[in-house]
Amino acid sequence: MTKTVRFAVEGGPEVLELVDVELGDPGAGELRLRVEAIGLNRAEAMFRSGTYFERPDAFPAKLGYSASGIVEAVGEGVTGFAAGDAVSTVAGFSMRDYGVYGEAAIVPASAVLRRPEGLDATEAVALWGPFLTAYGAIVEEGKVRPGDHVLITAASSSVGLATIDVVNHIGAIPIAATRTAAKKQRLLDAGAAHVIVTGDEDITGRTLEITGQRGAEFVFDAVAGDGVRKLAAATAKGGTLVVYGALDTKETPFPLWFVPTMRLFNAFDLTLDPERLARAGHFVRAGVRAGTFRPRVDRVFDLDDVAAAHRYLEANGQFGKVVVGVGG
């Protein structure tokens, strides 16, 4: 038996329960992982509350995309992994089928990457999801060039901080946006060339000022909602506005009057494509080796406190990844 997080109804963090389940053996194409650390994602809070793009098809439901740990067993047809390997999972599956919140998990081998040398489980679980998202949007989708200005909303999130690192890594200029001045200096210390405090400053006006009235060549937005109108006006002619999250759950308009391209970025387009995922893996590992990609952990909770961890995540006060530690 292994302790696993489940929820019997959709709702707030209080619906999460730690229960004993019989995990069993991995099937074809799967492996079983002894979990050491779990990285919390906004998607899981939305899945738990019934606001994600997909909802559980049966209860009690499992959840969780990101975990680091040790391979315990491999299923039929799995190559490249063996018991004892230190690995991490990525969001390359549906939470209707798999979940990693628990002491152990069975996951598809296609959604597993080896842990970079020199990182422990907590650091590794804070690395892959944010940096894969940042790489996919900035490099593969955005084709951002050295010298381009990149405006990043929700910049103190784990993805926002990873994006700052990726933008600096390729020689572009990161502009971080945050709601209050409390995180301004930390964002500057994290590598942001400029910080816009949206509670005090107009994001469009400040972006235009920073860029010499040209606007940002690439805008990476985690918020959506009506705020995309201001972001559109802050985007350079010929530039791109990419929405990857929905912190604002209200309807998002499509501002037809503006010139730049606006589109959505879905990390599954990368994680479910073996060739793209392999390229991303090489890129992220290179950044880790160079010392320019730094996984940032805000706070670590115990598995018994997973509901409190979700409450903390949804309060939006974190600077980096919220992690749940498992075991010693």
Side-chain angles (χ1 to χ4, degrees):
M1 303 294 286
T2 183
K3 292 188 181 299
T4 304
V5 177
R6 295 285 190 268
F7 60 103
V9 295
E10 294 171 339
E14 69 278 358
V15 303
L16 297 175
E17 298 180 307
L18 193 60
V19 298
D20 289 318
V21 300
E22 183 67 48
L23 197 60
D25 296 320
E30 298 175 333
L31 57 79
R32 189 175 69 234
L33 178 70
R34 174 170 57 81
V35 175
E36 297 177 311
I38 302 162
L40 303 195
N41 301 295
R42 186 73 50 178
E44 293 139 21
M46 297 174 71
F47 188 68
R48 182 212 72 224
S49 63
T51 57
Y52 198 43
F53 74 90
E54 63 179 8
R55 298 172 68 179
D57 53 11
F59 291 99
K62 50 184 149 324
L63 76 170
Y65 283 130
S66 305
S68 288
I70 305 299
V71 175
E72 289 186 323
V74 298
E76 182 182 352
V78 173
T79 60
F81 296 104
D85 287 345
V87 298
S88 299
T89 65
V90 299
F93 50 82
S94 169
M95 284 189 283
R96 289 177 173 175
D97 303 319
Y98 298 96
V100 300
Y101 278 26
E103 295 176 329
I106 291 177
V107 294
S110 59
V112 175
L113 295 169
R114 291 184 178 276
R115 186 186 307 173
E117 186 176 348
L119 298 186
D120 62 23
T122 299
E123 293 168 326
V125 84
L127 174 82
W128 284 115
F131 279 93
L132 290 177
T133 301
Y135 163 82
I138 300 300
V139 178
E140 293 236 340
E141 297 285 338
K143 296 180 171 51
V144 172
R145 301 163 299 181
D148 284 350
H149 288 87
V150 178
L151 176 60
I152 306 158
T153 67
S156 61
S157 68
S158 56
V159 173
L161 292 168
T163 303
I164 291 173
D165 280 356
V166 170
V167 170
N168 280 321
H169 186 72
I170 64 176
I173 304 166
I175 304 171
T178 184
R179 290 178 300 165
T180 70
K183 298 177 182 178
K184 181 175 181 177
Q185 188 58 50
R186 294 185 73 183
L187 287 167
L188 291 169
D189 293 342
H194 307 274
V195 176
I196 301 172
V197 179
T198 59
D200 302 328
E201 303 171 288
D202 176 65
I203 193 168
T204 302
R206 278 290 290 132
T207 302
L208 293 174
E209 179 184 344
I210 290 165
T211 60
Q213 302 304 311
R214 292 186 64 245
E217 284 80 12
F218 191 85
V219 178
F220 196 37
D221 179 43
V223 182
D226 196 59
V228 299
R229 299 183 191 275
K230 285 184 171 291
L231 297 179
T235 307
K237 182 178 180 180
T240 302
L241 165 57
V242 168
V243 178
Y244 76 97
L247 293 178
D248 185 341
T249 57
K250 296 189 290 293
E251 185 174 344
T252 300
F254 188 90
L256 295 176
W257 49 267
F258 78 102
V259 175
T261 299
M262 177 176 169
R263 63 175 182 265
L264 297 175
F265 173 72
N266 188 336
F268 287 107
D269 292 338
L270 187 151
T271 58
L272 295 176
D273 183 322
E275 290 186 5
R276 293 186 70 185
L277 182 58
R279 283 199 303 271
H282 285 296
F283 181 86
V284 174
R285 290 178 193 280
V288 172
R289 289 195 300 272
T292 54
F293 291 175
R294 300 157 290 176
R296 294 176 177 88
V297 177
D298 176 87
R299 183 173 171 183
V300 180
F301 288 81
D302 292 332
L303 185 60
D304 290 343
D305 296 326
V306 65
H310 265 234
R311 291 189 192 95
Y312 183 74
L313 176 75
E314 292 181 311
N316 296 321
Q318 70 271 21
F319 193 88
K321 197 71 170 174
V322 180
V323 175
V324 170
V326 182

